[in-house]
Amino acid sequence: MSVHESFKNHCEHYKDARVNAQGKKKVAIVGGGPSGLVSLRRVLDSFSLIGTLIEQKDDVGGIWYYKDEKKFPASSQNSTDSLDDLDNPENTTAMYDNLSCNLPYVLLELRDFKHERFAYTFATQQQVHHYLREYATHFNLWPHIRLNTSVVDVRPEFETLREGTSGKWIIETHNLQTNTFSSEIYDAVMICTGKHAYPYQRPIPGLKTFKGKVMHAKFFKNADDFIDQSVVLIGLGPSAADLALVLSTTAKKITVCHKFINGKKLGIVPKNVHQMSCVKKVTGDGIVTEENERVSCDCIIFCTGYGIKFPFLNPSCGVTIVEEKYVPHLYNKMIFTKRPTLFFLNLCYQTPEYVCMEIQACYAVNYLEGYTKLPSFQDMEAAVKAEEEDKIQREHPHSLWLQIGDLSADATWNYFWRIAEEIGIKDQFKDGPLLEQVYRISMQRMFGSLAIYKSDRLRIRTQTMWEYMLAAKPEFPDSKFEIVTIIANPDFTASVERLQLSDG
């Protein structure tokens, strides 16, 4: 293409971005997972916005779209690794065969569109993916979704705008089917690519000497690959708990190595699951813990979470990432203060993600419509700085800086209801206090009753009363069968009543 033709095409895109039939602001949504879908839905609900969702896979669903071990296509511009490399994070999601969720279905659904009631408490990966596709169909999102398309460059239209000034964005995309590139100009960009794409793995002395298999949890695909093996899991988050439970059915021995922060550890674990302190070093045939305990193993799996990366963001955007864990200058954990038409959704850690993405999407759209007024750039920066200084004072590592509040469940939900109230939608979350209690109980059960919590059952008796039946099994004497009744109160709180039964 000649320089003249390139300039002409750019001008045509520039013209189209400013003059569209509806006279609406154009919003680009990057990523077709749940946060992208709910953002598109909220954008299309607006009278003053029009949206396009751009997804590089051939279907929506994001992390929940899993094709066994088949590789997904991606643009080579977004990856420094070979796309033929099985360890390239672009090739797969964090899903695996026969996965069931670790939270009840009510915490994995978006407002105004419910899962099939009573069909399951812990949905499978396939059921969640089906739910998200049905969500797109129900709200007629498909005509506004561009599949098989990688976003390869996002940059400001004018780089010289002063900080805090909203501006338009040039987005370059790569059509993976036709292998062609194109550019368009948008009034706003919502980054919805998730936070479970790029494995984070801390260095450990001696790791290269290990003769067995080393992998990150993202690349775990089937428990049958570990029959009769001894496996070491490094970390203590939901992925470590999940893999410990799944592997207990096939592996000979599972050792979970972690920090025991505040005495926290897994409770009621399968008989072949053991817990030890952090790994100090790796040897040729296993690991040595900080307590100088030695464990021989066949495989080491890092359950150490994910790093934050946005390979498509041009440096001219001004976005930086600290230690792959923290994005500075995000007001209310989502709005980029330097250019407040750039949004990052669902970057917060250890939160009920579907509630988070729903409220954040509504907040972003409300602001773009002009109903919500942001503080000045200086005031937003001061608010972010105050949060950072609080984290420093508490000696929190950067991996916790995108946590909400003081890491307590109350602080998490207070954040949601504060911003929901600010845009006038808090009353639309009448089941909010019920969800809050279900989340609290579920997290306690996941880590405190690992071997049995997937047998728990949640039932919605009425709109204001839910029943959570906590399972027990005879082979685990510490387990107790309980019925927890959660009742919504008129003052936006919930009451919890527990009934312990002698047997199940």
Side-chain angles (χ1 to χ4, degrees):
M1 180 184 294
S2 68
V3 174
H4 175 74
E5 290 173 327
S6 177
F7 179 75
K8 180 180 178 182
N9 288 342
H10 174 73
C11 290
E12 288 301 317
H13 287 306
Y14 186 86
K15 178 180 178 182
D16 291 343
R18 282 168 165 70
V19 184
N20 58 70
Q22 299 88 353
K24 298 181 178 183
K25 292 180 181 178
K26 291 180 62 178
V27 181
I29 296 137
V30 184
S35 59
L37 292 173
V38 70
S39 295
L40 178 61
R41 184 255 169 117
R42 294 303 168 190
V43 165
L44 296 179
D45 279 349
S46 169
F47 290 109
S48 59
L49 307 175
I50 187 169
T52 299
L53 186 154
I54 307 169
E55 166 58 50
Q56 73 176 4
K57 299 187 183 72
D58 58 359
D59 200 356
V60 298
I63 191 175
W64 297 100
Y65 178 33
Y66 172 58
K67 297 168 64 175
D68 300 321
E69 294 193 47
K70 296 177 183 177
K71 294 182 293 184
F72 289 113
S75 175
S76 58
Q77 292 200 19
N78 284 342
S79 178
T80 57
D81 300 322
S82 168
L83 294 179
D84 293 326
D85 184 355
L86 292 178
D87 290 334
N88 186 332
E90 299 287 349
N91 281 336
T92 187
T93 78
M95 297 290 111
Y96 56 82
D97 298 341
N98 305 314
L99 178 143
S100 65
C101 300
N102 52 24
L103 290 173
Y105 66 94
V106 293
L107 292 164
L108 293 161
E109 64 186 10
L110 299 164
R111 191 154 47 93
D112 304 331
F113 192 73
K114 304 298 183 182
H115 279 272
E116 298 175 6
R117 297 303 192 196
F118 307 115
Y120 41 74
T121 293
F122 298 97
T124 66
Q125 169 263 319
Q126 293 94 334
Q127 288 166 331
V128 177
H129 183 226
H130 174 75
Y131 165 84
L132 293 172
R133 296 191 87 258
E134 290 297 300
Y135 180 90
T137 299
H138 181 78
F139 292 109
N140 195 31
L141 305 184
W142 292 108
H144 307 273
I145 295 173
R146 196 180 300 170
L147 298 174
N148 299 297
T149 306
S150 289
V151 173
V152 295
D153 191 63
V154 176
R155 62 187 184 274
E157 181 187 22
F158 300 111
E159 297 180 23
T160 56
L161 290 176
R162 71 179 186 275
E163 290 185 339
T165 302
S166 297
K168 297 180 185 293
W169 302 88
I170 300 173
I171 296 185
E172 183 179 358
T173 57
H174 180 187
N175 186 308
L176 301 175
Q177 290 184 315
T178 62
N179 196 30
T180 57
F181 293 81
S182 61
S183 297
E184 292 182 66
I185 293 182
Y186 291 87
D187 297 278
V189 181
M190 301 174 77
I191 306 297
C192 302
T193 51
K195 53 182 181 286
H196 300 109
Y198 299 97
Y200 181 84
Q201 183 173 313
R202 63 182 179 86
I204 298 178
L207 187 61
K208 291 184 179 180
T209 68
F210 183 60
K211 297 176 183 177
K213 185 175 184 178
V214 178
M215 63 189 298
H216 187 275
K218 176 168 185 175
F219 301 106
F220 173 91
K221 297 305 170 190
N222 196 304
D224 288 343
D225 295 337
F226 302 86
I227 292 175
D228 292 330
Q229 292 188 17
S230 176
V231 181
V232 168
L233 305 178
I234 298 178
L236 185 66
S239 60
D242 208 33
L243 292 194
L245 182 60
V246 172
L247 284 167
S248 69
T249 62
T250 60
K252 177 173 57 179
K253 179 182 178 182
I254 303 99
T255 304
V256 184
C257 294
H258 57 90
K259 295 180 180 179
F260 294 93
I261 297 176
N262 298 323
K264 178 182 176 182
K265 65 176 184 177
L266 297 173
I268 308 184
V269 297
K271 297 186 185 301
N272 56 346
V273 173
H274 308 271
Q275 298 179 76
M276 291 185 176
S277 59
C278 286
V279 176
K280 181 171 65 175
K281 66 179 182 178
V282 178
T283 64
D285 64 352
I287 58 101
V288 179
T289 73
E290 290 182 345
E291 302 297 327
N292 290 320
E293 303 161 301
R294 291 181 174 269
V295 179
S296 297
C297 62
D298 303 291
C299 180
I300 298 173
I301 302 180
F302 281 84
C303 302
T304 45
Y306 294 83
I308 299 174
K309 296 182 182 180
F310 305 105
F312 49 82
L313 287 184
N314 193 287
S316 61
C317 294
V319 176
T320 57
I321 302 172
V322 181
E323 296 180 0
E324 296 187 22
K325 290 294 183 180
Y326 177 67
V327 182
H329 309 290
L330 293 188
Y331 179 69
N332 272 340
K333 300 286 191 294
M334 61 177 147
I335 301 174
F336 189 53
T337 60
K338 293 184 176 183
R339 295 187 181 274
T341 48
L342 178 63
F343 306 88
F344 295 84
L345 270 73
N346 196 32
L347 283 187
C348 303
Y349 283 93
Q350 293 187 8
T351 63
E353 293 190 353
Y354 282 59
V355 178
C356 180
M357 63 183 70
E358 180 92 61
I359 294 177
Q360 287 184 338
C362 289
Y363 192 99
V365 167
N366 198 275
Y367 162 65
L368 289 174
E369 290 177 312
Y371 296 119
T372 293
K373 303 298 181 183
L374 296 179
S376 67
F377 169 66
Q378 291 77 13
D379 287 346
M380 288 192 292
E381 281 287 283
V384 174
K385 187 67 175 177
E387 291 180 1
E388 293 175 347
E389 290 175 349
D390 179 65
K391 302 289 187 184
I392 293 172
Q393 186 176 1
R394 294 170 181 263
E395 298 183 342
H396 289 166
H398 286 113
S399 59
L400 300 181
W401 279 27
L402 280 173
Q403 298 278 34
I404 299 172
D406 60 0
L407 311 188
S408 72
D410 289 340
T412 298
W413 293 88
N414 288 343
Y415 162 79
F416 295 148
W417 307 142
R418 174 179 63 78
I419 63 175
E421 190 167 35
E422 186 177 338
I423 59 176
I425 65 169
K426 182 179 176 181
D427 62 345
Q428 297 177 23
F429 289 86
K430 297 186 184 301
D431 59 357
L434 299 169
L435 292 172
E436 183 175 346
Q437 293 302 323
V438 170
Y439 182 72
R440 190 191 304 269
I441 295 169
S442 300
M443 294 299 289
Q444 291 171 349
R445 292 288 287 176
M446 183 195 311
F447 289 102
S449 302
L450 179 65
I452 57 177
Y453 85 100
K454 288 288 183 78
S455 297
D456 295 348
R457 292 293 176 264
L458 178 68
R459 294 289 182 264
I460 296 178
R461 297 305 183 191
T462 69
Q463 289 185 339
T464 59
M465 186 179 76
W466 295 359
E467 194 173 77
Y468 208 160
M469 290 169 280
L470 310 185
K473 292 186 177 181
E475 60 267 37
F476 299 103
D478 291 338
S479 65
K480 295 178 174 57
F481 182 77
E482 287 186 274
I483 296 180
V484 181
T485 303
I486 310 169
I487 302 172
N489 299 321
D491 62 350
F492 206 74
T493 62
S495 301
V496 177
E497 300 175 359
R498 288 178 176 264
L499 175 63
Q500 185 174 311
L501 304 181
S502 58
D503 58 62

